[in-house]
Amino acid sequence: MASQDHNNTPRKPPARKAVSDPEARAQRELGIVGPHGELQLASVTVDGYSLELREGDGFVGDVASRTAFRHMLQAWRALFTSMVGKDPLGQRPTRRLSKHQLDALLRKKGPAAQAIQAAVEDYALQLVHVVQRFLRHRSWRGVERIIIGGGFHQSEVGRRAVERARQILRDGGVGAELRTLHHHSDEGGLIGWVHLAPAALLHSYDAILAVDIGGTNVRCGVVQTHLHRAPDLSLAEVVRREKWAHADDKPRRDELLEGIAAMLERLMAHARKKKIRLAPYIGVACPGLVVEDGSLAGGTQNLPGNWESTRFHLPRYLCGRLPHIGQGRTQVCLHNDAVVQGLSELPFTQDVRRWAVLTVGTGLGNASYTNVAPQKN
C-alpha cells in the first residue's frame, strides 16, 4: 500500500498533540484508501479512460494530438514554400515555434497566416474524425458533451481549431457538443484531485498537494478546496504552483521523480509559511493505465524511462521520498491524467448525464463519465 505511517516511534501521551474528531475520522478514512484513485465516486462514475482505438498502424487519437498539428503545419509550410519560393514562417523549425509566435503570425495577413489557417482546418477535420470514432465506442455512447482539455485550446490557433470542429460537428448533426476546460490547463489536472480525495479529509484540512505529469511538462500545486464557500468544490483553486518543462532537459526517470519530490517539498514549505493546513494526501496524475495496486500497465511511452517495470511503483517511491505531512499516515494516490483533468469540470457538467474529455497534449488523453443522479428524499 502506498502509504506511510509516521507514528512508528511511540510517544508519551502528554507530549502527543490532540487529534480532533474530524481529523480522526479523516485518518480512519485515509487508512482504507488504496494507491489507485477510485472510478466510482459519490456523484460520478468514470466509465472508461485511455481508450486505444486502432486505425491502420497507429491509434485514432494520434491524428489529433499537439504533435499531429505540428506535422500538419510542417506539411503546409513546405507547400507554401514551394509555391512562393520563400518559407512563410521564417528560419525557426516548426517544432520550435511557440504558441505565442504562431498566434502572432496568424494575426498578420499573408502566406504565414494562410499556412497556419490551413493547418487549423486540417486539424479541425481530424478532431471531428476522432470525436466521431470515440462516440461510436460503447463507453462513449450517449455522451452529450465533450470537454477539450490540455493547453492547445488556450492559444488562438487552438481556439480556432476547436471552434471550427464544433461547427463541423453541429452542421453534421452530431448531438455531442464541444466545450473547453474552465480551468487553465496547468491547473485542471491538479484541481480534479479534490473530487478524488476522501471527503472526510477535505472537511478536516484546507488544501491538498497534487501532481500532473505529462510528456512535456510536470506541474505540482497546492490546491485549496474552499469547501466552506462552495460544497460542490466549484471554487477550488491552485494557490501555489510550480511547473517544469522537463522535455527540454531530457531527464532520466529517476531524475524526473527527484525533481517532482523537490517541487513538492517547496510547496510544503510554502503551505507552512502561509499557515495552510495541508492534508496528508498527495494526488498524482499520470498518463497511462493505472492498475489497482497503483502500478502502471501501459500508455507511458511519452515519459522518460520505464514506468511499467514490475520493480517500479510511483506512489510508493514518492511516499518514501517525501517528508511527513502532519501526523498519522500520508497517502499517495495515482490516477490517469485525463480522468483527473476531466474531474475538474465536474461542478460545471451537472446539466448533462453523460460527458467526456479529450486532452490535447503530446498525445491525446481521453476519459468518459456518467453523473450519478442525486437520490430523492
Side-chain angles (χ1 to χ4, degrees), residues 303-330:
L303 300 178
N306 184 3
W307 293 63
E308 299 165 26
S309 167
T310 56
R311 297 187 297 275
F312 175 68
H313 192 272
L314 178 56
R316 192 176 299 132
Y317 171 87
L318 285 178
C319 202
R321 166 62 179 79
L322 292 168
H324 300 175
I325 305 177
Q327 294 186 335
R329 53 195 305 136
T330 296

mmCIF file of all heavy atoms in Angstrom, residues 303-330:
data_model
loop_
_atom_site.group_PDB
_atom_site.id
_atom_site.type_symbol
_atom_site.label_atom_id
_atom_site.label_comp_id
_atom_site.label_asym_id
_atom_site.label_seq_id
_atom_site.Cartn_x
_atom_site.Cartn_y
_atom_site.Cartn_z
ATOM 1 N N LEU A 303 6.808 9.275 -21.559
ATOM 2 C CA LEU A 303 7.577 9.607 -20.365
ATOM 3 C C LEU A 303 8.969 8.994 -20.463
ATOM 4 O O LEU A 303 9.154 7.948 -21.083
ATOM 5 C CB LEU A 303 6.872 9.080 -19.106
ATOM 6 C CG LEU A 303 5.471 9.626 -18.851
ATOM 7 C CD1 LEU A 303 4.875 8.990 -17.599
ATOM 8 C CD2 LEU A 303 5.478 11.143 -18.717
ATOM 9 N N PRO A 304 9.959 9.603 -19.823
ATOM 10 C CA PRO A 304 11.334 9.080 -19.933
ATOM 11 C C PRO A 304 11.530 7.811 -19.107
ATOM 12 O O PRO A 304 11.096 7.730 -17.953
ATOM 13 C CB PRO A 304 12.185 10.229 -19.375
ATOM 14 C CG PRO A 304 11.271 10.964 -18.446
ATOM 15 C CD PRO A 304 9.909 10.880 -19.067
ATOM 16 N N GLY A 305 12.174 6.821 -19.696
ATOM 17 C CA GLY A 305 12.478 5.596 -18.955
ATOM 18 C C GLY A 305 11.308 4.636 -18.895
ATOM 19 O O GLY A 305 10.278 4.798 -19.543
ATOM 20 N N ASN A 306 11.455 3.614 -18.080
ATOM 21 C CA ASN A 306 10.467 2.547 -17.945
ATOM 22 C C ASN A 306 9.599 2.782 -16.709
ATOM 23 O O ASN A 306 10.061 2.642 -15.585
ATOM 24 C CB ASN A 306 11.174 1.192 -17.842
ATOM 25 C CG ASN A 306 10.194 0.035 -17.802
ATOM 26 O OD1 ASN A 306 8.980 0.216 -17.898
ATOM 27 N ND2 ASN A 306 10.717 -1.175 -17.664
ATOM 28 N N TRP A 307 8.349 3.132 -16.942
ATOM 29 C CA TRP A 307 7.399 3.379 -15.846
ATOM 30 C C TRP A 307 6.502 2.171 -15.603
ATOM 31 O O TRP A 307 5.680 2.195 -14.695
ATOM 32 C CB TRP A 307 6.533 4.602 -16.167
ATOM 33 C CG TRP A 307 7.317 5.872 -16.192
ATOM 34 C CD1 TRP A 307 8.328 6.202 -17.046
ATOM 35 C CD2 TRP A 307 7.185 6.990 -15.308
ATOM 36 N NE1 TRP A 307 8.820 7.446 -16.754
ATOM 37 C CE2 TRP A 307 8.140 7.956 -15.704
ATOM 38 C CE3 TRP A 307 6.343 7.263 -14.232
ATOM 39 C CZ2 TRP A 307 8.281 9.187 -15.050
ATOM 40 C CZ3 TRP A 307 6.469 8.490 -13.585
ATOM 41 C CH2 TRP A 307 7.433 9.433 -13.995
ATOM 42 N N GLU A 308 6.661 1.145 -16.406
ATOM 43 C CA GLU A 308 5.797 -0.026 -16.298
ATOM 44 C C GLU A 308 6.531 -1.247 -15.746
ATOM 45 O O GLU A 308 5.997 -2.349 -15.747
ATOM 46 C CB GLU A 308 5.203 -0.335 -17.676
ATOM 47 C CG GLU A 308 4.365 0.818 -18.211
ATOM 48 C CD GLU A 308 4.066 0.709 -19.695
ATOM 49 O OE1 GLU A 308 4.055 -0.436 -20.213
ATOM 50 O OE2 GLU A 308 3.851 1.747 -20.341
ATOM 51 N N SER A 309 7.746 -1.033 -15.264
ATOM 52 C CA SER A 309 8.513 -2.124 -14.686
ATOM 53 C C SER A 309 7.829 -2.654 -13.420
ATOM 54 O O SER A 309 7.251 -1.884 -12.641
ATOM 55 C CB SER A 309 9.923 -1.629 -14.330
ATOM 56 O OG SER A 309 10.596 -2.563 -13.508
ATOM 57 N N THR A 310 7.901 -3.953 -13.223
ATOM 58 C CA THR A 310 7.323 -4.550 -12.013
ATOM 59 C C THR A 310 8.084 -4.121 -10.757
ATOM 60 O O THR A 310 7.587 -4.270 -9.646
ATOM 61 C CB THR A 310 7.336 -6.087 -12.115
ATOM 62 O OG1 THR A 310 8.690 -6.527 -12.354
ATOM 63 C CG2 THR A 310 6.444 -6.564 -13.246
ATOM 64 N N ARG A 311 9.279 -3.576 -10.946
ATOM 65 C CA ARG A 311 10.085 -3.126 -9.801
ATOM 66 C C ARG A 311 9.874 -1.645 -9.488
ATOM 67 O O ARG A 311 10.491 -1.123 -8.570
ATOM 68 C CB ARG A 311 11.567 -3.386 -10.068
ATOM 69 C CG ARG A 311 11.927 -4.851 -10.215
ATOM 70 C CD ARG A 311 13.428 -5.061 -10.313
ATOM 71 N NE ARG A 311 13.990 -4.424 -11.494
ATOM 72 C CZ ARG A 311 14.034 -4.982 -12.693
ATOM 73 N NH1 ARG A 311 13.532 -6.195 -12.875
ATOM 74 N NH2 ARG A 311 14.557 -4.340 -13.722
ATOM 75 N N PHE A 312 9.000 -1.000 -10.273
ATOM 76 C CA PHE A 312 8.778 0.435 -10.070
ATOM 77 C C PHE A 312 7.345 0.687 -9.632
ATOM 78 O O PHE A 312 6.396 0.189 -10.239
ATOM 79 C CB PHE A 312 9.052 1.202 -11.362
ATOM 80 C CG PHE A 312 8.726 2.672 -11.271
ATOM 81 C CD1 PHE A 312 9.473 3.509 -10.459
ATOM 82 C CD2 PHE A 312 7.671 3.210 -12.001
ATOM 83 C CE1 PHE A 312 9.170 4.869 -10.371
ATOM 84 C CE2 PHE A 312 7.364 4.562 -11.918
ATOM 85 C CZ PHE A 312 8.120 5.386 -11.103
ATOM 86 N N HIS A 313 7.193 1.459 -8.562
ATOM 87 C CA HIS A 313 5.872 1.791 -8.043
ATOM 88 C C HIS A 313 5.899 3.266 -7.653
ATOM 89 O O HIS A 313 6.457 3.643 -6.629
ATOM 90 C CB HIS A 313 5.542 0.912 -6.830
ATOM 91 C CG HIS A 313 4.105 0.975 -6.407
ATOM 92 N ND1 HIS A 313 3.636 1.911 -5.524
ATOM 93 C CD2 HIS A 313 3.036 0.204 -6.743
ATOM 94 C CE1 HIS A 313 2.335 1.726 -5.323
ATOM 95 N NE2 HIS A 313 1.951 0.694 -6.056
ATOM 96 N N LEU A 314 5.319 4.108 -8.486
ATOM 97 C CA LEU A 314 5.398 5.557 -8.318
ATOM 98 C C LEU A 314 4.860 6.049 -6.979
ATOM 99 O O LEU A 314 5.547 6.821 -6.282
ATOM 100 C CB LEU A 314 4.677 6.241 -9.482
ATOM 101 C CG LEU A 314 4.598 7.764 -9.465
ATOM 102 C CD1 LEU A 314 5.975 8.388 -9.375
ATOM 103 C CD2 LEU A 314 3.861 8.269 -10.706
ATOM 104 N N PRO A 315 3.647 5.655 -6.555
ATOM 105 C CA PRO A 315 3.161 6.135 -5.258
ATOM 106 C C PRO A 315 4.081 5.745 -4.102
ATOM 107 O O PRO A 315 4.337 6.546 -3.190
ATOM 108 C CB PRO A 315 1.787 5.464 -5.123
ATOM 109 C CG PRO A 315 1.365 5.205 -6.525
ATOM 110 C CD PRO A 315 2.616 4.852 -7.258
ATOM 111 N N ARG A 316 4.591 4.504 -4.129
ATOM 112 C CA ARG A 316 5.463 4.055 -3.041
ATOM 113 C C ARG A 316 6.772 4.842 -3.025
ATOM 114 O O ARG A 316 7.288 5.202 -1.962
ATOM 115 C CB ARG A 316 5.729 2.556 -3.192
ATOM 116 C CG ARG A 316 6.383 1.913 -1.968
ATOM 117 C CD ARG A 316 6.521 0.417 -2.180
ATOM 118 N NE ARG A 316 5.225 -0.212 -2.364
ATOM 119 C CZ ARG A 316 4.931 -1.066 -3.331
ATOM 120 N NH1 ARG A 316 5.850 -1.396 -4.222
ATOM 121 N NH2 ARG A 316 3.729 -1.595 -3.412
ATOM 122 N N TYR A 317 7.292 5.139 -4.220
ATOM 123 C CA TYR A 317 8.541 5.904 -4.298
ATOM 124 C C TYR A 317 8.355 7.288 -3.671
ATOM 125 O O TYR A 317 9.163 7.711 -2.833
ATOM 126 C CB TYR A 317 8.978 6.049 -5.750
ATOM 127 C CG TYR A 317 10.123 7.012 -5.921
ATOM 128 C CD1 TYR A 317 11.441 6.577 -5.805
ATOM 129 C CD2 TYR A 317 9.895 8.365 -6.162
ATOM 130 C CE1 TYR A 317 12.503 7.466 -5.928
ATOM 131 C CE2 TYR A 317 10.940 9.257 -6.293
ATOM 132 C CZ TYR A 317 12.243 8.805 -6.179
ATOM 133 O OH TYR A 317 13.287 9.693 -6.291
ATOM 134 N N LEU A 318 7.308 8.004 -4.075
ATOM 135 C CA LEU A 318 7.105 9.351 -3.554
ATOM 136 C C LEU A 318 6.817 9.340 -2.058
ATOM 137 O O LEU A 318 7.259 10.213 -1.319
ATOM 138 C CB LEU A 318 5.956 10.027 -4.299
ATOM 139 C CG LEU A 318 6.255 10.501 -5.723
ATOM 140 C CD1 LEU A 318 5.012 11.107 -6.354
ATOM 141 C CD2 LEU A 318 7.402 11.505 -5.728
ATOM 142 N N CYS A 319 6.086 8.337 -1.622
ATOM 143 C CA CYS A 319 5.753 8.236 -0.199
ATOM 144 C C CYS A 319 7.012 8.051 0.637
ATOM 145 O O CYS A 319 7.137 8.621 1.722
ATOM 146 C CB CYS A 319 4.798 7.073 0.008
ATOM 147 S SG CYS A 319 3.843 7.203 1.511
ATOM 148 N N GLY A 320 7.945 7.269 0.140
ATOM 149 C CA GLY A 320 9.177 7.055 0.878
ATOM 150 C C GLY A 320 10.154 8.203 0.763
ATOM 151 O O GLY A 320 10.994 8.413 1.640
ATOM 152 N N ARG A 321 10.048 8.972 -0.311
ATOM 153 C CA ARG A 321 10.997 10.057 -0.558
ATOM 154 C C ARG A 321 10.636 11.357 0.159
ATOM 155 O O ARG A 321 11.513 12.130 0.568
ATOM 156 C CB ARG A 321 11.068 10.302 -2.077
ATOM 157 C CG ARG A 321 11.745 11.584 -2.524
ATOM 158 C CD ARG A 321 13.202 11.652 -2.126
ATOM 159 N NE ARG A 321 13.805 12.885 -2.604
ATOM 160 C CZ ARG A 321 13.662 14.076 -2.009
ATOM 161 N NH1 ARG A 321 12.917 14.187 -0.918
ATOM 162 N NH2 ARG A 321 14.261 15.142 -2.508
ATOM 163 N N LEU A 322 9.342 11.617 0.353
ATOM 164 C CA LEU A 322 8.912 12.920 0.852
ATOM 165 C C LEU A 322 8.865 12.976 2.376
ATOM 166 O O LEU A 322 8.673 11.948 3.044
ATOM 167 C CB LEU A 322 7.533 13.259 0.284
ATOM 168 C CG LEU A 322 7.515 13.520 -1.225
ATOM 169 C CD1 LEU A 322 6.098 13.561 -1.735
ATOM 170 C CD2 LEU A 322 8.255 14.815 -1.540
ATOM 171 N N PRO A 323 9.018 14.173 2.934
ATOM 172 C CA PRO A 323 8.900 14.326 4.390
ATOM 173 C C PRO A 323 7.456 14.144 4.846
ATOM 174 O O PRO A 323 6.532 14.076 4.034
ATOM 175 C CB PRO A 323 9.367 15.769 4.621
ATOM 176 C CG PRO A 323 9.094 16.464 3.333
ATOM 177 C CD PRO A 323 9.327 15.446 2.259
ATOM 178 N N HIS A 324 7.284 14.079 6.147
ATOM 179 C CA HIS A 324 5.952 13.888 6.722
ATOM 180 C C HIS A 324 5.074 15.101 6.452
ATOM 181 O O HIS A 324 5.537 16.230 6.417
ATOM 182 C CB HIS A 324 6.049 13.671 8.235
ATOM 183 C CG HIS A 324 6.861 12.468 8.602
ATOM 184 N ND1 HIS A 324 7.154 12.142 9.901
ATOM 185 C CD2 HIS A 324 7.451 11.513 7.843
ATOM 186 C CE1 HIS A 324 7.898 11.035 9.928
ATOM 187 N NE2 HIS A 324 8.084 10.645 8.686
ATOM 188 N N ILE A 325 3.793 14.832 6.281
ATOM 189 C CA ILE A 325 2.808 15.909 6.241
ATOM 190 C C ILE A 325 1.935 15.735 7.484
ATOM 191 O O ILE A 325 1.020 14.918 7.508
ATOM 192 C CB ILE A 325 1.940 15.853 4.967
ATOM 193 C CG1 ILE A 325 2.807 15.862 3.715
ATOM 194 C CG2 ILE A 325 0.965 17.031 4.934
ATOM 195 C CD1 ILE A 325 2.019 15.726 2.426
ATOM 196 N N GLY A 326 2.234 16.473 8.523
ATOM 197 C CA GLY A 326 1.468 16.361 9.758
ATOM 198 C C GLY A 326 1.691 15.040 10.452
ATOM 199 O O GLY A 326 2.719 14.384 10.300
ATOM 200 N N GLN A 327 0.691 14.633 11.232
ATOM 201 C CA GLN A 327 0.759 13.383 11.973
ATOM 202 C C GLN A 327 0.005 12.288 11.233
ATOM 203 O O GLN A 327 -0.764 12.541 10.317
ATOM 204 C CB GLN A 327 0.165 13.564 13.365
ATOM 205 C CG GLN A 327 0.984 14.511 14.249
ATOM 206 C CD GLN A 327 0.441 14.534 15.658
ATOM 207 O OE1 GLN A 327 -0.726 14.260 15.893
ATOM 208 N NE2 GLN A 327 1.306 14.868 16.607
ATOM 209 N N GLY A 328 0.208 11.083 11.636
ATOM 210 C CA GLY A 328 -0.508 9.957 11.051
ATOM 211 C C GLY A 328 0.069 9.542 9.713
ATOM 212 O O GLY A 328 1.217 9.812 9.393
ATOM 213 N N ARG A 329 -0.745 8.894 8.900
ATOM 214 C CA ARG A 329 -0.289 8.326 7.650
ATOM 215 C C ARG A 329 -0.529 9.291 6.487
ATOM 216 O O ARG A 329 -1.533 9.979 6.426
ATOM 217 C CB ARG A 329 -0.973 6.985 7.387
ATOM 218 C CG ARG A 329 -2.457 7.015 7.466
ATOM 219 C CD ARG A 329 -3.074 5.621 7.571
ATOM 220 N NE ARG A 329 -2.651 4.739 6.497
ATOM 221 C CZ ARG A 329 -2.284 3.479 6.699
ATOM 222 N NH1 ARG A 329 -2.267 2.988 7.923
ATOM 223 N NH2 ARG A 329 -1.936 2.718 5.703
ATOM 224 N N THR A 330 0.424 9.323 5.575
ATOM 225 C CA THR A 330 0.296 10.119 4.357
ATOM 226 C C THR A 330 0.057 9.169 3.192
ATOM 227 O O THR A 330 0.787 8.199 3.026
ATOM 228 C CB THR A 330 1.571 10.942 4.093
ATOM 229 O OG1 THR A 330 1.745 11.889 5.149
ATOM 230 C CG2 THR A 330 1.459 11.690 2.771
#
